[in-house]
PDB file of all heavy atoms in Angstrom:
ATOM      1  N   THR A 130     -10.466  -3.811 118.664  1.00 95.00           N
ATOM      2  CA  THR A 130      -9.041  -3.555 118.920  1.00 95.00           C
ATOM      3  C   THR A 130      -8.687  -2.105 118.602  1.00 95.00           C
ATOM      4  O   THR A 130      -7.936  -1.466 119.361  1.00 95.00           O
ATOM      5  CB  THR A 130      -8.167  -4.511 118.090  1.00 95.00           C
ATOM      6  OG1 THR A 130      -8.520  -5.867 118.420  1.00 95.00           O
ATOM      7  CG2 THR A 130      -6.689  -4.294 118.382  1.00 95.00           C
ATOM      8  N   LEU A 131      -9.217  -1.571 117.518  1.00 92.00           N
ATOM      9  CA  LEU A 131      -8.976  -0.158 117.193  1.00 92.00           C
ATOM     10  C   LEU A 131      -9.480   0.747 118.319  1.00 92.00           C
ATOM     11  O   LEU A 131      -8.811   1.706 118.711  1.00 92.00           O
ATOM     12  CB  LEU A 131      -9.665   0.205 115.877  1.00 92.00           C
ATOM     13  CG  LEU A 131      -9.036  -0.341 114.593  1.00 92.00           C
ATOM     14  CD1 LEU A 131      -9.931  -0.026 113.389  1.00 92.00           C
ATOM     15  CD2 LEU A 131      -7.643   0.249 114.378  1.00 92.00           C
ATOM     16  N   GLY A 132     -10.669   0.450 118.823  1.00 91.00           N
ATOM     17  CA  GLY A 132     -11.220   1.256 119.911  1.00 91.00           C
ATOM     18  C   GLY A 132     -10.385   1.160 121.168  1.00 91.00           C
ATOM     19  O   GLY A 132     -10.125   2.171 121.839  1.00 91.00           O
ATOM     20  N   GLN A 133      -9.933  -0.048 121.504  1.00 94.00           N
ATOM     21  CA  GLN A 133      -9.111  -0.206 122.703  1.00 94.00           C
ATOM     22  C   GLN A 133      -7.746   0.459 122.543  1.00 94.00           C
ATOM     23  O   GLN A 133      -7.220   1.034 123.498  1.00 94.00           O
ATOM     24  CB  GLN A 133      -8.960  -1.687 123.045  1.00 94.00           C
ATOM     25  CG  GLN A 133     -10.220  -2.292 123.615  1.00 94.00           C
ATOM     26  CD  GLN A 133      -9.988  -3.581 124.371  1.00 94.00           C
ATOM     27  OE1 GLN A 133      -8.880  -4.098 124.437  1.00 94.00           O
ATOM     28  NE2 GLN A 133     -11.051  -4.122 124.943  1.00 94.00           N
ATOM     29  N   VAL A 134      -7.179   0.378 121.345  1.00 93.00           N
ATOM     30  CA  VAL A 134      -5.887   1.036 121.122  1.00 93.00           C
ATOM     31  C   VAL A 134      -6.027   2.552 121.260  1.00 93.00           C
ATOM     32  O   VAL A 134      -5.129   3.225 121.793  1.00 93.00           O
ATOM     33  CB  VAL A 134      -5.303   0.650 119.752  1.00 93.00           C
ATOM     34  CG1 VAL A 134      -4.111   1.538 119.385  1.00 93.00           C
ATOM     35  CG2 VAL A 134      -4.860  -0.814 119.748  1.00 93.00           C
ATOM     36  N   ALA A 135      -7.150   3.103 120.790  1.00 89.00           N
ATOM     37  CA  ALA A 135      -7.375   4.548 120.943  1.00 89.00           C
ATOM     38  C   ALA A 135      -7.418   4.938 122.423  1.00 89.00           C
ATOM     39  O   ALA A 135      -6.788   5.915 122.838  1.00 89.00           O
ATOM     40  CB  ALA A 135      -8.677   4.954 120.247  1.00 89.00           C
ATOM     41  N   LEU A 136      -8.152   4.157 123.234  1.00 91.00           N
ATOM     42  CA  LEU A 136      -8.217   4.433 124.670  1.00 91.00           C
ATOM     43  C   LEU A 136      -6.849   4.209 125.319  1.00 91.00           C
ATOM     44  O   LEU A 136      -6.417   4.977 126.188  1.00 91.00           O
ATOM     45  CB  LEU A 136      -9.267   3.535 125.315  1.00 91.00           C
ATOM     46  CG  LEU A 136      -9.470   3.691 126.833  1.00 91.00           C
ATOM     47  CD1 LEU A 136      -9.827   5.130 127.194  1.00 91.00           C
ATOM     48  CD2 LEU A 136     -10.547   2.730 127.327  1.00 91.00           C
ATOM     49  N   PHE A 137      -6.147   3.175 124.893  1.00 94.00           N
ATOM     50  CA  PHE A 137      -4.804   2.883 125.382  1.00 94.00           C
ATOM     51  C   PHE A 137      -3.860   4.065 125.138  1.00 94.00           C
ATOM     52  O   PHE A 137      -3.089   4.461 126.015  1.00 94.00           O
ATOM     53  CB  PHE A 137      -4.296   1.620 124.671  1.00 94.00           C
ATOM     54  CG  PHE A 137      -2.846   1.306 124.886  1.00 94.00           C
ATOM     55  CD1 PHE A 137      -2.430   0.570 125.985  1.00 94.00           C
ATOM     56  CD2 PHE A 137      -1.884   1.730 123.977  1.00 94.00           C
ATOM     57  CE1 PHE A 137      -1.087   0.266 126.170  1.00 94.00           C
ATOM     58  CE2 PHE A 137      -0.548   1.435 124.156  1.00 94.00           C
ATOM     59  CZ  PHE A 137      -0.142   0.702 125.251  1.00 94.00           C
ATOM     60  N   GLN A 138      -3.932   4.643 123.932  1.00 90.00           N
ATOM     61  CA  GLN A 138      -3.068   5.773 123.600  1.00 90.00           C
ATOM     62  C   GLN A 138      -3.410   6.998 124.448  1.00 90.00           C
ATOM     63  O   GLN A 138      -2.509   7.748 124.856  1.00 90.00           O
ATOM     64  CB  GLN A 138      -3.196   6.109 122.107  1.00 90.00           C
ATOM     65  CG  GLN A 138      -2.567   5.095 121.182  1.00 90.00           C
ATOM     66  CD  GLN A 138      -1.053   5.085 121.273  1.00 90.00           C
ATOM     67  OE1 GLN A 138      -0.437   5.955 121.873  1.00 90.00           O
ATOM     68  NE2 GLN A 138      -0.432   4.080 120.683  1.00 90.00           N
ATOM     69  N   LEU A 139      -4.687   7.199 124.716  1.00 87.00           N
ATOM     70  CA  LEU A 139      -5.068   8.316 125.591  1.00 87.00           C
ATOM     71  C   LEU A 139      -4.499   8.121 126.994  1.00 87.00           C
ATOM     72  O   LEU A 139      -3.995   9.068 127.602  1.00 87.00           O
ATOM     73  CB  LEU A 139      -6.591   8.434 125.656  1.00 87.00           C
ATOM     74  CG  LEU A 139      -7.281   9.172 124.524  1.00 87.00           C
ATOM     75  CD1 LEU A 139      -8.778   9.243 124.794  1.00 87.00           C
ATOM     76  CD2 LEU A 139      -6.730  10.575 124.343  1.00 87.00           C
ATOM     77  N   ALA A 140      -4.594   6.894 127.505  1.00 90.00           N
ATOM     78  CA  ALA A 140      -4.038   6.615 128.830  1.00 90.00           C
ATOM     79  C   ALA A 140      -2.525   6.765 128.828  1.00 90.00           C
ATOM     80  O   ALA A 140      -1.930   7.269 129.782  1.00 90.00           O
ATOM     81  CB  ALA A 140      -4.430   5.207 129.266  1.00 90.00           C
ATOM     82  N   LYS A 141      -1.898   6.346 127.737  1.00 89.00           N
ATOM     83  CA  LYS A 141      -0.443   6.392 127.634  1.00 89.00           C
ATOM     84  C   LYS A 141       0.065   7.821 127.573  1.00 89.00           C
ATOM     85  O   LYS A 141       1.076   8.174 128.178  1.00 89.00           O
ATOM     86  CB  LYS A 141      -0.008   5.615 126.388  1.00 89.00           C
ATOM     87  CG  LYS A 141       1.476   5.288 126.307  1.00 89.00           C
ATOM     88  CD  LYS A 141       1.727   4.353 125.118  1.00 89.00           C
ATOM     89  CE  LYS A 141       3.171   3.877 125.099  1.00 89.00           C
ATOM     90  NZ  LYS A 141       3.408   2.931 123.982  1.00 89.00           N
ATOM     91  N   ARG A 142      -0.644   8.679 126.840  1.00 85.00           N
ATOM     92  CA  ARG A 142      -0.183  10.049 126.629  1.00 85.00           C
ATOM     93  C   ARG A 142      -0.795  11.034 127.613  1.00 85.00           C
ATOM     94  O   ARG A 142      -0.143  11.985 128.031  1.00 85.00           O
ATOM     95  CB  ARG A 142      -0.483  10.488 125.190  1.00 85.00           C
ATOM     96  CG  ARG A 142       0.307   9.697 124.154  1.00 85.00           C
ATOM     97  CD  ARG A 142       0.006  10.189 122.747  1.00 85.00           C
ATOM     98  NE  ARG A 142       0.823   9.475 121.770  1.00 85.00           N
ATOM     99  CZ  ARG A 142       2.052   9.803 121.436  1.00 85.00           C
ATOM    100  NH1 ARG A 142       2.631  10.839 122.010  1.00 85.00           N
ATOM    101  NH2 ARG A 142       2.723   9.113 120.533  1.00 85.00           N
ATOM    102  N   GLY A 143      -2.064  10.831 127.953  1.00 85.00           N
ATOM    103  CA  GLY A 143      -2.732  11.781 128.840  1.00 85.00           C
ATOM    104  C   GLY A 143      -2.608  11.444 130.309  1.00 85.00           C
ATOM    105  O   GLY A 143      -2.647  12.333 131.161  1.00 85.00           O
ATOM    106  N   GLY A 144      -2.507  10.147 130.602  1.00 87.00           N
ATOM    107  CA  GLY A 144      -2.380   9.732 131.991  1.00 87.00           C
ATOM    108  C   GLY A 144      -3.711   9.375 132.639  1.00 87.00           C
ATOM    109  O   GLY A 144      -4.787   9.722 132.151  1.00 87.00           O
ATOM    110  N   ARG A 145      -3.613   8.706 133.735  1.00 89.00           N
ATOM    111  CA  ARG A 145      -4.773   8.197 134.467  1.00 89.00           C
ATOM    112  C   ARG A 145      -5.664   9.323 134.989  1.00 89.00           C
ATOM    113  O   ARG A 145      -6.894   9.305 134.817  1.00 89.00           O
ATOM    114  CB  ARG A 145      -4.260   7.341 135.623  1.00 89.00           C
ATOM    115  CG  ARG A 145      -5.286   6.596 136.442  1.00 89.00           C
ATOM    116  CD  ARG A 145      -4.547   5.807 137.513  1.00 89.00           C
ATOM    117  NE  ARG A 145      -5.405   4.883 138.220  1.00 89.00           N
ATOM    118  CZ  ARG A 145      -6.129   5.206 139.284  1.00 89.00           C
ATOM    119  NH1 ARG A 145      -6.104   6.452 139.750  1.00 89.00           N
ATOM    120  NH2 ARG A 145      -6.868   4.295 139.892  1.00 89.00           N
ATOM    121  N   GLU A 146      -5.067  10.307 135.647  1.00 89.00           N
ATOM    122  CA  GLU A 146      -5.854  11.384 136.248  1.00 89.00           C
ATOM    123  C   GLU A 146      -6.560  12.213 135.182  1.00 89.00           C
ATOM    124  O   GLU A 146      -7.681  12.683 135.395  1.00 89.00           O
ATOM    125  CB  GLU A 146      -4.943  12.273 137.111  1.00 89.00           C
ATOM    126  CG  GLU A 146      -4.287  11.537 138.280  1.00 89.00           C
ATOM    127  CD  GLU A 146      -5.307  10.821 139.139  1.00 89.00           C
ATOM    128  OE1 GLU A 146      -6.373  11.418 139.416  1.00 89.00           O
ATOM    129  OE2 GLU A 146      -5.057   9.663 139.524  1.00 89.00           O
ATOM    130  N   TRP A 147      -5.887  12.400 134.052  1.00 87.00           N
ATOM    131  CA  TRP A 147      -6.506  13.156 132.951  1.00 87.00           C
ATOM    132  C   TRP A 147      -7.769  12.458 132.477  1.00 87.00           C
ATOM    133  O   TRP A 147      -8.801  13.104 132.253  1.00 87.00           O
ATOM    134  CB  TRP A 147      -5.495  13.284 131.817  1.00 87.00           C
ATOM    135  CG  TRP A 147      -5.973  14.088 130.642  1.00 87.00           C
ATOM    136  CD1 TRP A 147      -5.965  15.444 130.507  1.00 87.00           C
ATOM    137  CD2 TRP A 147      -6.547  13.577 129.427  1.00 87.00           C
ATOM    138  NE1 TRP A 147      -6.498  15.817 129.286  1.00 87.00           N
ATOM    139  CE2 TRP A 147      -6.853  14.683 128.614  1.00 87.00           C
ATOM    140  CE3 TRP A 147      -6.818  12.300 128.953  1.00 87.00           C
ATOM    141  CZ2 TRP A 147      -7.424  14.550 127.346  1.00 87.00           C
ATOM    142  CZ3 TRP A 147      -7.391  12.156 127.699  1.00 87.00           C
ATOM    143  CH2 TRP A 147      -7.686  13.272 126.914  1.00 87.00           C
ATOM    144  N   LEU A 148      -7.701  11.127 132.342  1.00 86.00           N
ATOM    145  CA  LEU A 148      -8.874  10.373 131.908  1.00 86.00           C
ATOM    146  C   LEU A 148     -10.009  10.444 132.917  1.00 86.00           C
ATOM    147  O   LEU A 148     -11.170  10.595 132.555  1.00 86.00           O
ATOM    148  CB  LEU A 148      -8.492   8.903 131.677  1.00 86.00           C
ATOM    149  CG  LEU A 148      -7.941   8.520 130.306  1.00 86.00           C
ATOM    150  CD1 LEU A 148      -7.520   7.058 130.307  1.00 86.00           C
ATOM    151  CD2 LEU A 148      -8.969   8.770 129.218  1.00 86.00           C
ATOM    152  N   LEU A 149      -9.668  10.333 134.202  1.00 88.00           N
ATOM    153  CA  LEU A 149     -10.699  10.328 135.237  1.00 88.00           C
ATOM    154  C   LEU A 149     -11.474  11.642 135.292  1.00 88.00           C
ATOM    155  O   LEU A 149     -12.604  11.676 135.789  1.00 88.00           O
ATOM    156  CB  LEU A 149     -10.063  10.044 136.602  1.00 88.00           C
ATOM    157  CG  LEU A 149      -9.629   8.591 136.844  1.00 88.00           C
ATOM    158  CD1 LEU A 149      -8.785   8.487 138.111  1.00 88.00           C
ATOM    159  CD2 LEU A 149     -10.847   7.675 136.942  1.00 88.00           C
ATOM    160  N   GLN A 150     -10.883  12.711 134.778  1.00 87.00           N
ATOM    161  CA  GLN A 150     -11.560  14.011 134.782  1.00 87.00           C
ATOM    162  C   GLN A 150     -12.527  14.173 133.610  1.00 87.00           C
ATOM    163  O   GLN A 150     -13.321  15.121 133.593  1.00 87.00           O
ATOM    164  CB  GLN A 150     -10.516  15.129 134.716  1.00 87.00           C
ATOM    165  CG  GLN A 150      -9.632  15.222 135.952  1.00 87.00           C
ATOM    166  CD  GLN A 150      -8.491  16.204 135.765  1.00 87.00           C
ATOM    167  OE1 GLN A 150      -8.383  16.870 134.739  1.00 87.00           O
ATOM    168  NE2 GLN A 150      -7.624  16.284 136.759  1.00 87.00           N
ATOM    169  N   LYS A 151     -12.482  13.250 132.639  1.00 82.00           N
ATOM    170  CA  LYS A 151     -13.301  13.393 131.442  1.00 82.00           C
ATOM    171  C   LYS A 151     -14.693  12.802 131.659  1.00 82.00           C
ATOM    172  O   LYS A 151     -14.835  11.684 132.148  1.00 82.00           O
ATOM    173  CB  LYS A 151     -12.628  12.710 130.247  1.00 82.00           C
ATOM    174  CG  LYS A 151     -11.230  13.250 129.946  1.00 82.00           C
ATOM    175  CD  LYS A 151     -11.258  14.758 129.736  1.00 82.00           C
ATOM    176  CE  LYS A 151      -9.872  15.353 129.583  1.00 82.00           C
ATOM    177  NZ  LYS A 151      -9.898  16.825 129.495  1.00 82.00           N
ATOM    178  N   PRO A 152     -15.742  13.540 131.291  1.00 80.00           N
ATOM    179  CA  PRO A 152     -17.107  13.053 131.545  1.00 80.00           C
ATOM    180  C   PRO A 152     -17.466  11.815 130.738  1.00 80.00           C
ATOM    181  O   PRO A 152     -18.346  11.054 131.137  1.00 80.00           O
ATOM    182  CB  PRO A 152     -17.982  14.258 131.140  1.00 80.00           C
ATOM    183  CG  PRO A 152     -17.139  15.052 130.199  1.00 80.00           C
ATOM    184  CD  PRO A 152     -15.731  14.879 130.676  1.00 80.00           C
ATOM    185  N   TRP A 153     -16.810  11.598 129.597  1.00 79.00           N
ATOM    186  CA  TRP A 153     -17.131  10.437 128.783  1.00 79.00           C
ATOM    187  C   TRP A 153     -16.427   9.171 129.253  1.00 79.00           C
ATOM    188  O   TRP A 153     -16.732   8.074 128.791  1.00 79.00           O
ATOM    189  CB  TRP A 153     -16.793  10.671 127.315  1.00 79.00           C
ATOM    190  CG  TRP A 153     -15.514  11.416 127.054  1.00 79.00           C
ATOM    191  CD1 TRP A 153     -15.387  12.738 126.730  1.00 79.00           C
ATOM    192  CD2 TRP A 153     -14.179  10.891 127.099  1.00 79.00           C
ATOM    193  NE1 TRP A 153     -14.068  13.059 126.565  1.00 79.00           N
ATOM    194  CE2 TRP A 153     -13.309  11.955 126.782  1.00 79.00           C
ATOM    195  CE3 TRP A 153     -13.646   9.634 127.368  1.00 79.00           C
ATOM    196  CZ2 TRP A 153     -11.921  11.792 126.739  1.00 79.00           C
ATOM    197  CZ3 TRP A 153     -12.275   9.468 127.326  1.00 79.00           C
ATOM    198  CH2 TRP A 153     -11.424  10.543 127.006  1.00 79.00           C
ATOM    199  N   PHE A 154     -15.481   9.305 130.187  1.00 83.00           N
ATOM    200  CA  PHE A 154     -14.811   8.125 130.736  1.00 83.00           C
ATOM    201  C   PHE A 154     -15.626   7.658 131.934  1.00 83.00           C
ATOM    202  O   PHE A 154     -15.575   8.252 133.007  1.00 83.00           O
ATOM    203  CB  PHE A 154     -13.377   8.457 131.141  1.00 83.00           C
ATOM    204  CG  PHE A 154     -12.587   7.259 131.584  1.00 83.00           C
ATOM    205  CD1 PHE A 154     -12.257   6.259 130.694  1.00 83.00           C
ATOM    206  CD2 PHE A 154     -12.180   7.137 132.907  1.00 83.00           C
ATOM    207  CE1 PHE A 154     -11.535   5.148 131.101  1.00 83.00           C
ATOM    208  CE2 PHE A 154     -11.447   6.028 133.330  1.00 83.00           C
ATOM    209  CZ  PHE A 154     -11.131   5.031 132.418  1.00 83.00           C
ATOM    210  N   ARG A 155     -16.355   6.579 131.771  1.00 81.00           N
ATOM    211  CA  ARG A 155     -17.389   6.214 132.728  1.00 81.00           C
ATOM    212  C   ARG A 155     -16.947   5.123 133.709  1.00 81.00           C
ATOM    213  O   ARG A 155     -17.762   4.347 134.188  1.00 81.00           O
ATOM    214  CB  ARG A 155     -18.648   5.779 131.973  1.00 81.00           C
ATOM    215  CG  ARG A 155     -19.097   6.796 130.938  1.00 81.00           C
ATOM    216  CD  ARG A 155     -20.346   6.375 130.232  1.00 81.00           C
ATOM    217  NE  ARG A 155     -21.527   6.917 130.887  1.00 81.00           N
ATOM    218  CZ  ARG A 155     -22.773   6.607 130.556  1.00 81.00           C
ATOM    219  NH1 ARG A 155     -23.007   5.741 129.606  1.00 81.00           N
ATOM    220  NH2 ARG A 155     -23.777   7.143 131.184  1.00 81.00           N
ATOM    221  N   VAL A 156     -15.668   5.068 133.984  1.00 85.00           N
ATOM    222  CA  VAL A 156     -15.140   4.128 134.982  1.00 85.00           C
ATOM    223  C   VAL A 156     -14.723   4.939 136.194  1.00 85.00           C
ATOM    224  O   VAL A 156     -13.912   5.864 136.079  1.00 85.00           O
ATOM    225  CB  VAL A 156     -13.931   3.343 134.429  1.00 85.00           C
ATOM    226  CG1 VAL A 156     -13.400   2.380 135.487  1.00 85.00           C
ATOM    227  CG2 VAL A 156     -14.320   2.590 133.160  1.00 85.00           C
ATOM    228  N   ASP A 157     -15.281   4.611 137.361  1.00 87.00           N
ATOM    229  CA  ASP A 157     -14.923   5.399 138.546  1.00 87.00           C
ATOM    230  C   ASP A 157     -13.560   4.971 139.075  1.00 87.00           C
ATOM    231  O   ASP A 157     -13.035   3.901 138.754  1.00 87.00           O
ATOM    232  CB  ASP A 157     -15.995   5.294 139.628  1.00 87.00           C
ATOM    233  CG  ASP A 157     -16.204   3.869 140.115  1.00 87.00           C
ATOM    234  OD1 ASP A 157     -15.244   3.256 140.605  1.00 87.00           O
ATOM    235  OD2 ASP A 157     -17.342   3.367 139.994  1.00 87.00           O
TER     236      ASP A 157
END
Side-chain angles (χ1 to χ4, degrees):
T130 302
L131 287 173
Q133 287 199 356
V134 168
L136 180 57
F137 170 86
Q138 289 291 349
L139 278 183
K141 194 172 187 178
R142 294 181 177 275
R145 186 179 190 273
E146 298 306 317
W147 182 83
L148 274 176
L149 286 169
Q150 294 172 3
K151 302 305 174 185
W153 40 259
F154 186 67
R155 308 181 93 187
V156 180
D157 61 59

